[in-house]
């Protein structure tokens, strides 16, 4: 930043949503790399939260809640939204896209089977990827991740549980240099399906990172808390 | 605790409805909607700029709330701030996806001095020794208006500069100096 453009207040700028493009990407990388910066962003979110008091109200149009209920009751939504809800809070908006993609896939299958297997996006020959996530913080333990591109499944070893009022969120930073959430870590580890839109980011050289976030994950969908473990994906 | 203020009771009830929504209690979710839809629609409408799109975004906001409510932690955030943050972020996501530039002047941001805090959120003011509203009032008008517009309308530097008709560097300089002074005041 040039001197004539003012002091460094990137944490506030990120919390306010002023940045775009490369400037935003730089600030998001700082959130991952600098725990102090991540903390500052959270403090700014708290300050700005006080301004919600001032926001003028406007009665919502009739029928919105009924639409919400219909969406929740639709069978396609229950399968795609309810089950992974706790597991994928940060990906809430993407689950329906993934479900739609799955639906299209099933519909266009030339040879309808009674019970079609889960759709597979990656080429069958794609090699398995592994990452060893080194702890960046004494509260964390080392973890390993294995990703199977053919099935879109990520297996994680056990992780140390975050404090009771925090969640550990898993991110992938790929070619676009932007952190994308892969959902919350479970202390017991285990297998998880990676949402379709996220799969392209899981490639050799991509970084996996775990940050400590407010319960349920980063409210903004981007990392805000300190990074506790990270490691690079590589082929087996 | 026989004499709980209505503000604290309203906040506690809202937190209760949110927690029960997390347990997939539809009746609690409906009550939560009834109590918060005007606030959240106000946020979404201002950022989206058109009612029809705002109604669609509001639908997504409440679906997100339904999905994430199980993760809400009452000791960490006031329920309305938690809900409002989801609404603001969803509306900004929509707005950026549209790449629209709404030609609204800076003065359209709500007037800080005239607005009384909502009952349900009045407690928040106690959480900072110098509330952000007081500190915003200490800034130069161009700094204050730009920061308020960024918050209430979810716009970027480029959009702010375009609206006011100043070069991007000038707008960044105003806002950055303003944010630095705001930080000093808030930490005082």
């Amino acid at each position: 930043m040039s001197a004539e453009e003012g002091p460094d207040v990137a944490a506030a700028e990120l919390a306010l949503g002023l940045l775009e493009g490369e400037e935003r990407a730089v600030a998001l990388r700082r959130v991952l790399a600098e725990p102090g910066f991540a903390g500052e962003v959270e403090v700014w979110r708290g300050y700005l939260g006080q301004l919600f008091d001032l926001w003028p109200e406007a009665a919502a149009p009739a029928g919105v809640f009924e639409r919400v209920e219909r969406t929740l009751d639709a069978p396609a939504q229950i399968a795609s939204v309810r089950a992974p809800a706790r597991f994928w809070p940060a990906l809430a908006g993407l689950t329906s896209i993934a479900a739609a993609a799955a639906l299209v896939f099933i519909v266009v299958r030339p040879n309808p089977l009674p019970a079609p297997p889960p759709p597979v996006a990656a080429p069958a020959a794609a090699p398995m990827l592994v990452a060893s996530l080194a702890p960046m913080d004494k509260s964390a333990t080392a973890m390993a991740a294995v990703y199977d591109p053919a099935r879109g499944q990520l297996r994680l070893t056990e992780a140390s549980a975050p404090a009771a009022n925090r969640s550990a969120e898993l991110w992938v930073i790929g070619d676009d240099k932007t952190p994308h959430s892969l959902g919350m870590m479970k202390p017991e580890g285990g297998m998880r399906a990676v949402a379709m839109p996220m799969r392209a980011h899981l490639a050799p050289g991509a970084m996996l990172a775990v940050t400590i976030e407010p319960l349920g994950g980063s409210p903004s969908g981007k990392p805000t808390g300190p990074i506790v473990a990270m490691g690079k994906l590589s082929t087996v | 605790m026989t004499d709980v203020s209505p503000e604290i009771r309203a906040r506690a009830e809202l937190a209760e409805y949110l927690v029960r929504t997390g347990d997939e209690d539809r009746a609690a979710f409906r009550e939560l909607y009834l109590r918060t839809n005007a606030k959240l629609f106000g946020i979404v409408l201002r950022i989206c700029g058109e009612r029809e799109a705002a109604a669609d975004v509001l639908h997504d906001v409440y679906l997100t709330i339904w999905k994430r409510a199980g993760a809400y932690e009452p000791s960490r955030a006031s329920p309305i701030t938690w809900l409002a943050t989801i609404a603001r972020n969803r509306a900004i996501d929509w707005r950026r996806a549209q790449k629209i530039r709404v030609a609204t002047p800076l003065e359209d941001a709500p007037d800080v001095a005239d607005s009384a805090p909502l009952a349900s959120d009045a407690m928040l003011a106690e959480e900072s020794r110098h509330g952000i509203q007081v500190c915003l009032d200490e800034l130069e008008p161009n700094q204050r208006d730009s920061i308020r517009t960024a918050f209430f309308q979810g716009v970027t530097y480029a959009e702010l500069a375009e609206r006011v008709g100043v070069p991007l560097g000038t707008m960044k300089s105003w806002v950055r100096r303003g944010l630095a002074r705001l930080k000093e005041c808030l930490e005082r």
Side-chain angles (χ1 to χ4, degrees):
Chain A
M1 178 189 323
S2 62
E4 62 270 23
E5 284 187 3
D8 176 9
V9 285
E13 293 173 315
L14 190 63
L16 258 179
L18 283 163
L19 305 176
E20 57 192 331
E22 182 55 23
E23 282 188 317
R24 184 156 187 273
V26 167
L28 289 173
R29 283 200 290 278
R30 284 184 68 185
V31 168
L32 273 181
E34 300 170 31
F37 182 79
E40 250 185 277
V41 174
E42 199 169 336
V43 167
W44 272 105
R45 290 222 166 89
Y47 289 147
L48 293 169
Q50 298 170 30
L51 289 175
F52 285 123
D53 291 358
L54 304 176
W55 214 302
E57 300 196 353
V64 171
F65 190 74
E66 288 67 27
R67 261 177 73 200
V68 171
E69 290 204 298
R70 277 200 302 279
T71 307
L72 292 177
D73 290 335
Q77 287 288 335
I78 287 175
S80 66
V81 175
R82 282 315 312 178
R86 305 303 157 106
F87 203 47
W88 294 109
L91 290 180
L94 293 172
T95 47
S96 55
I97 298 170
L103 209 60
V104 168
F105 188 91
I106 292 166
V107 168
V108 300
R109 279 177 72 93
N111 189 9
L113 300 170
V120 171
M128 303 278 271
L129 300 176
V130 293
S132 168
L133 277 69
M136 313 295 285
D137 178 276
K138 58 182 177 297
S139 69
T141 50
M143 281 170 279
V146 180
Y147 178 62
D148 177 356
R151 296 174 192 281
Q153 283 182 337
L154 186 66
R155 181 188 288 280
L156 294 156
T157 57
E158 287 176 27
S160 39
N165 59 349
R166 312 290 272 170
S167 289
E169 191 159 4
L170 180 65
W171 306 88
V172 58
I173 304 126
D175 283 345
D176 62 356
K177 308 280 186 234
T178 303
H180 298 276
S181 177
L182 294 174
M184 299 310 118
M185 302 285 289
K186 293 195 296 185
E188 67 273 24
M191 188 80 94
R192 63 175 65 191
V194 175
M196 283 290 183
M198 290 296 122
R199 294 184 184 181
H201 300 296
L202 289 159
M207 188 68 83
L208 291 180
V210 178
T211 63
I212 300 301
E213 300 290 341
L215 259 191
S218 162
S220 66
K222 295 294 169 193
T224 62
I227 181 162
V228 293
M230 63 194 299
K232 203 170 267 191
L233 276 171
S234 57
T235 50
V236 178
Chain B
M1 290 294 284
T2 50
D3 220 14
V4 177
S5 76
E7 293 81 12
I8 293 174
R9 189 179 304 121
R11 172 167 153 148
E13 284 173 2
L14 200 54
E16 170 71 18
Y17 288 125
L18 188 47
V19 168
R20 279 169 48 197
T21 298
D23 293 333
E24 306 190 5
D25 178 339
R26 283 285 188 96
F29 185 42
R30 173 177 280 276
E31 188 62 34
L32 185 78
Y33 179 86
L34 292 174
R35 292 183 181 219
T36 56
N37 75 80
K39 187 77 187 169
L40 301 196
F41 190 64
I43 292 169
V44 168
L45 181 61
R46 179 167 288 265
I47 293 175
C48 294
E50 41 170 310
R51 282 186 75 80
E52 203 172 316
D56 288 346
V57 172
L58 190 70
H59 166 259
D60 289 349
V61 166
Y62 278 96
L63 282 181
T64 304
I65 290 167
W66 173 256
K67 285 179 247 165
R68 288 198 202 164
Y72 170 69
E73 177 50 61
S75 66
R76 240 194 94 67
S78 105
I80 197 69
T81 298
W82 192 85
L83 297 164
T85 302
I86 290 177
R88 179 171 182 266
N89 289 340
R90 277 285 152 140
I92 288 176
D93 287 348
W94 178 86
R95 199 170 185 288
R96 305 253 159 112
Q98 307 302 307
K99 301 238 184 293
I100 52 169
R101 297 281 194 269
V102 180
T104 322
L106 286 185
E107 306 81 73
D108 193 43
D111 193 307
V112 170
D114 287 350
S115 298
L118 284 186
S120 61
D121 231 16
M123 272 178 74
L124 272 180
E126 300 166 12
E127 289 170 13
S128 168
R129 278 164 298 169
H130 294 272
I132 192 162
Q133 299 171 37
V134 175
C135 290
L136 274 169
D137 279 342
E138 291 185 9
L139 303 183
E140 304 292 331
N142 59 16
Q143 297 172 339
R144 179 176 60 235
D145 290 348
S146 304
I147 292 169
R148 280 169 45 192
T149 302
F151 181 77
F152 287 109
Q153 294 180 29
V155 294
T156 61
Y157 273 133
E159 289 169 285
L160 279 175
E162 195 177 298
R163 285 187 191 194
V164 185
V166 298
L168 183 58
T170 305
M171 179 52 74
K172 285 182 177 175
S173 171
W174 287 358
V175 171
R176 283 175 180 154
R177 284 174 216 285
L179 288 171
R181 276 183 62 185
L182 195 55
K183 186 178 176 204
E184 266 177 41
C185 174
L186 289 164
E187 289 174 350
R188 211 182 287 155

